[in-house]
């Protein structure tokens, strides 16, 4: 038996078709995809380094993550509706 979804003529007051914070969620989603890749690239160096080197390594990793996020999100406008 197939179920059909119907939409009422009057929309609910509590729902809308837009996502709150859509741009931020999109950026966080891109970062979630990129971060494991960068962390995996530096995993061996991270485990073999001390506290000071890890501090510098963390800064380098965050810079690379920010660059990749900026590259992947360059076509997304902050004024876009999601």
């Amino acid at each position: 038996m197939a179920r059909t979804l119907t939409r009422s003529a009057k929309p609910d007051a509590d729902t809308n078709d837009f996502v709150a914070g859509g741009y931020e969620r999109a950026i966080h989603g891109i970062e979630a995809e990129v971060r494991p890749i960068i962390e995996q690239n530096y995993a061996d160096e991270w485990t073999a380094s001390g506290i000071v080197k890890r501090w510098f390594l963390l800064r380098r990793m965050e810079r690379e993550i920010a660059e990749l996020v900026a590259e992947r999100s360059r076509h997304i406008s902050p004024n876009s509706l999601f």
Side-chain angles (χ1 to χ4, degrees):
M1 182 183 304
R3 292 178 61 188
T4 59
L5 298 175
T6 59
R7 186 166 199 166
S8 65
K10 181 181 173 189
D12 295 337
D14 295 335
T15 63
N16 66 39
D17 295 326
F18 297 105
V19 177
Y23 178 74
E24 290 82 17
R25 289 181 182 204
I27 297 301
H28 289 296
I30 294 170
E31 183 179 341
E33 291 176 0
V34 170
R35 184 171 292 281
I37 296 167
I38 299 298
E39 288 176 349
Q40 186 178 12
N41 290 343
Y42 289 99
D44 293 335
E45 192 174 349
W46 180 268
T47 56
S49 61
I51 293 173
V52 175
K53 190 170 181 178
R54 282 187 181 185
W55 184 77
F56 285 109
L57 190 58
L58 182 61
R59 291 177 56 135
R60 186 179 342 151
M61 289 168 50
E62 291 297 329
R63 186 173 44 248
E64 286 187 29
I65 291 168
E67 289 171 359
L68 283 175
V69 168
E71 180 183 318
R72 289 188 180 190
S73 65
R74 70 179 178 266
H75 298 295
I76 302 174
S77 171
N79 298 325
S80 297
L81 297 175
F82 292 85

